[in-house]
Amino acid sequence: MRADIVEAAMRRALTLATHSPTYGGNPQVGCVILAPDGTQIGAGYHHGTGTPHAEIEALRSAPAERLHGATAIVTLEPCRHYGHTGPCTQALITAGIREVYYSVPDPTPQAGGGGAELERAGLHVQGGLLQDAGERLLRPWLLAARHERPYVIVKTASTLDGRAAAADGTSQWITGPQARAHAHLVRAGVDAILVGTGTVLADDPSLTARTPDGGLALHQPAPIVLGDRPIPADARVRRHPIPLRCRAGHAPAAVLRTLYQQGMRRVLVEGGPTLAAAFLTAGLADELDLYLAPLLLGEGRPAIGDLGIATLADAQHLTIDAVERLGTDLLVRALIGDGAASTEQETH
């Protein structure tokens, strides 16, 4: 099949994949089925844990009589294992698919290797198509899979001079309504929110994801509080739809290891400067989302605590991924390295 037709189909599959949920243990995956003449006859994306994979959705959407000799375009290498659903490799073979193109190899030992299995069955297989775009889409899931810990987003809201609260402790609200609404969208796309006991005692947050009208979002992240101080019985977080989990101390690696074992792949650190610094100094933060308000305080609580950096040469280097205007505020999204720090790097 012509390369331009296959590439265009992969771009459609990548767009479809963005509709998959970002929370849960599964990756965002899209699939397009092309007839031998290059026309699209099926398409689908993964709707979340326990639902059919993108390949199955696409096969089911296509006329069965047109599948023999067709081509499957998939954003992630088809899986070869039995999980919540059966292996996609077998479904593609049974349907009579002749060619398979995928963007990103599956790094997991359970599901990886599907391409080789399809080749052994006589299919033409090509991986790495638009791989940079595929890896960008799947970055959080890939990092979680490769390093067996959730992808970590550290979120701060501060003035332009980096203050998260004034000298008297007041902090609500530094950013405006559009920035706060965006932050709730991010909350609704993660498996858990992590804060410290200091944040709970000072701000009494609910840690829910809310819609613009104030209602609860369909998906709620699990609330997790780290620290040694007790949480009051009447704290708002205790009324969260998901039971509160408390962990003593601020040991990021141990917490992340447990959350990964519980199926969580993306978490949001919303605690104060101490918790943010703990994840950053441990090398266990993958993304920094900074909501910046056009305010100056001069003095006050910093958004990020002491990182143990004494000289400019030792500064942490970030990559600016996006800058977005949200009303009068700015969101700066920065990526930290490649997220390759292992949960074995415990600094506490």
Side-chain angles (χ1 to χ4, degrees):
M1 189 170 294
R2 282 172 27 201
D4 61 325
I5 294 176
V6 172
E7 184 172 313
M10 181 61 79
R11 294 190 188 282
R12 291 196 294 272
L14 287 165
T15 299
L16 282 170
T18 64
H19 298 293
S20 297
T22 55
Y23 52 84
N26 292 88
Q28 295 177 283
V29 182
C31 178
V32 169
I33 307 293
L34 301 179
D37 65 359
T39 59
Q40 180 176 313
I41 58 174
Y45 63 90
H46 186 49
H47 290 258
T49 303
T51 65
H53 287 187
E55 296 94 320
I56 308 303
E57 283 278 305
L59 291 171
R60 289 177 179 176
S61 72
E65 66 275 9
R66 300 192 66 188
L67 287 173
H68 186 75
T71 297
I73 314 292
V74 196
T75 56
L76 180 67
E77 181 182 18
C79 70
R80 61 175 179 84
H81 80 304
Y82 285 88
H84 292 285
T85 59
C88 292
T89 50
Q90 189 56 54
L92 293 167
I93 295 167
T94 301
I97 296 297
R98 183 183 62 189
E99 295 182 318
V100 174
Y101 295 83
Y102 64 86
S103 178
V104 180
D106 191 318
T108 62
Q110 309 96 316
E117 183 170 297
L118 292 170
E119 286 184 329
R120 288 193 292 270
L123 282 70
H124 169 76
V125 180
Q126 180 181 327
L129 182 62
L130 300 182
Q131 187 167 344
D132 286 349
E135 291 199 350
R136 178 178 173 83
L137 171 72
L138 287 171
R139 182 176 187 265
W141 182 83
L142 288 171
L143 291 180
R146 288 167 180 160
H147 307 296
E148 298 186 348
R149 64 165 178 82
Y151 182 84
V152 175
I153 303 168
V154 174
K155 174 246 181 180
T156 68
S158 72
T159 61
L160 287 180
D161 54 348
R163 301 299 173 181
D168 64 357
T170 54
S171 61
Q172 296 181 346
W173 297 99
I174 284 179
T175 55
Q178 287 177 263
R180 296 198 298 273
H182 185 278
H184 279 285
L185 287 176
V186 176
R187 282 185 176 188
V190 299
D191 294 297
I193 299 181
L194 281 64
V195 300
T197 52
T199 295
V200 173
L201 295 174
D203 299 336
D204 193 24
S206 66
L207 300 187
T208 53
R210 295 186 293 279
T211 58
D213 63 3
L216 292 177
L218 183 62
H219 169 73
Q220 290 295 319
I224 299 173
V225 177
L226 309 181
D228 300 316
R229 287 178 285 181
I231 305 302
D234 61 349
R236 294 175 66 200
V237 70
R238 293 194 180 276
R239 300 193 291 275
H240 194 286
I242 299 176
L244 172 65
R245 308 182 201 186
C246 298
R247 289 286 301 262
H250 294 93
V255 172
L256 294 180
R257 189 179 302 114
T258 299
L259 297 182
Y260 184 86
Q261 292 168 351
Q262 294 171 347
M264 298 188 185
R265 298 295 181 265
R266 189 183 309 219
V267 300
L268 179 65
V269 175
E270 273 202 12
T274 300
L275 194 62
F279 277 85
L280 287 163
T281 56
L284 294 171
D286 305 300
E287 178 179 320
L288 184 59
D289 288 2
L290 302 98
Y291 294 86
L292 300 174
L295 303 173
L296 296 174
L297 285 173
E299 295 295 330
R301 187 180 69 188
I304 297 174
D306 182 16
L307 298 179
I309 297 171
T311 180
L312 185 62
D314 295 334
Q316 286 200 19
H317 290 267
L318 313 179
T319 300
I320 301 298
D321 183 57
V323 178
E324 183 178 354
R325 185 159 187 165
L326 299 169
T328 59
D329 304 318
L330 287 180
L331 167 62
V332 178
R333 179 177 297 112
L335 305 181
I336 304 172
D338 65 354
S342 165
T343 51
E344 297 305 315
Q345 292 181 296
E346 182 60 75
T347 60
H348 294 265

